[in-house]
Amino acid sequence: MKKEIEFESKNQKDALAYAAKELNVDPEKITLEILKEKKGILGIGGSILFKASVDINLLDLGKEYLSLILNSLNVTFKMEARNVNNELHYNVETNENPLLIGKDGKCLDSINTLLRIYLETVANERMIVILDIGGYRENRKRQLEILATKTAKEVAKTKIAVKLKPMNSFERLIIHEKLSDWRDVYTESEGEGEGRSLVIKPKK
């Protein structure tokens, strides 16, 4: 993606610093172009109209950001990244998988959130960014799909709704998608924040 801004500044050094802050990228990645020079009175108060542009590969930028986090933690790692239908997926294997995943994946979720917010800030739009460490999310997905299927069958049989324990947005989405085409049940989210959970309900 390409981002551009136009602004006035007194000189190229100040312009580069301003553009780096506004575009949220390193200065060396920015291309500066002078659009117009405005002369002041007796050489005082003049300014220059600049256009700053940068070509951003969000997938690579995410890899750089994750690498900074992991290197700061002195973690040895391997990383794969891919863009799937404008969803950015990062798979990481480290020598400290349990530590980085945390209890119930909370540490993993926190790193994922940091990565998503960073990329959304650069792109200035909402994004789907999925980080997996040590295959945790893939294993968790299989567990949740089994849970969804088992619970949905119970609800369809008994006609009694079942509320699942609180889950993060990634986990709720897995169950939503797994049961989206079921004829006998449907899902609804209830609660706020960390207490938000899914309820599987029978269709009338």
Side-chain angles (χ1 to χ4, degrees):
M1 62 172 290
K2 188 171 185 176
K3 294 181 70 177
E4 296 181 341
I5 57 172
E6 293 184 11
F7 59 94
E8 290 186 4
S9 185
K10 293 182 178 180
N11 55 58
Q12 185 166 330
K13 181 180 179 181
D14 290 347
L16 198 57
Y18 176 83
K21 181 179 179 180
E22 290 297 306
L23 295 171
N24 200 31
V25 295
D26 294 331
E28 59 266 22
K29 296 180 179 180
I30 296 173
T31 300
L32 273 183
E33 179 184 350
I34 296 176
L35 299 179
K36 186 178 181 180
E37 293 190 42
K38 297 181 180 180
K39 295 183 179 180
I41 300 174
L42 299 177
I44 300 174
S47 64
I48 305 171
L49 179 63
F50 287 95
K51 179 169 78 172
S53 60
V54 58
D55 286 314
I56 302 173
N57 185 315
L58 291 172
L59 190 67
D60 288 344
L61 197 63
K63 288 177 65 176
E64 292 177 14
Y65 186 75
L66 270 177
S67 295
L68 284 174
I69 293 175
L70 296 174
N71 284 328
S72 69
L73 296 172
N74 295 318
V75 172
T76 302
F77 64 92
K78 293 181 181 179
M79 186 189 310
E80 293 181 356
R82 65 187 191 281
N83 187 326
V84 182
N85 298 323
N86 292 321
E87 295 181 3
L88 303 186
H89 292 254
Y90 298 88
N91 294 315
V92 177
E93 285 286 346
T94 82
N95 61 333
E96 294 286 358
N97 284 345
L99 178 65
L100 293 172
I101 293 168
K103 184 179 179 181
D104 296 327
K106 289 187 181 298
C107 186
L108 170 58
D109 289 339
S110 296
I111 299 173
N112 199 150
T113 299
L114 283 174
L115 176 62
R116 177 181 55 77
I117 291 174
Y118 171 70
L119 291 175
E120 286 182 341
T121 301
V122 173
N124 196 30
E125 63 182 19
R126 295 280 295 174
M127 298 182 63
I128 297 177
V129 181
I130 300 174
L131 169 66
D132 196 2
I133 297 176
Y136 173 84
R137 289 208 192 280
E138 192 59 37
N139 292 333
R140 183 64 175 150
K141 179 181 179 181
R142 286 195 291 268
Q143 293 172 357
L144 289 171
E145 287 178 339
I146 292 172
L147 173 65
T149 300
K150 180 180 178 181
T151 307
K153 288 180 179 179
E154 177 185 339
V155 171
K157 181 179 179 180
T158 64
K159 305 299 181 183
I160 300 174
V162 173
K163 184 176 182 179
L164 303 176
K165 72 175 185 178
M167 298 178 183
N168 60 39
S169 58
F170 170 79
E171 294 175 333
R172 294 196 305 272
L173 180 61
I174 289 172
I175 294 180
H176 270 308
E177 292 181 342
K178 182 65 177 178
L179 302 180
S180 62
D181 59 352
W182 276 54
R183 293 179 298 175
D184 302 323
V185 303
Y186 67 101
T187 59
E188 283 188 352
S189 292
E190 292 184 358
E192 299 294 335
E194 293 186 358
R196 196 161 177 80
S197 59
L198 272 183
V199 181
I200 301 177
K201 299 181 177 182
K203 287 183 179 179
K204 296 180 180 180

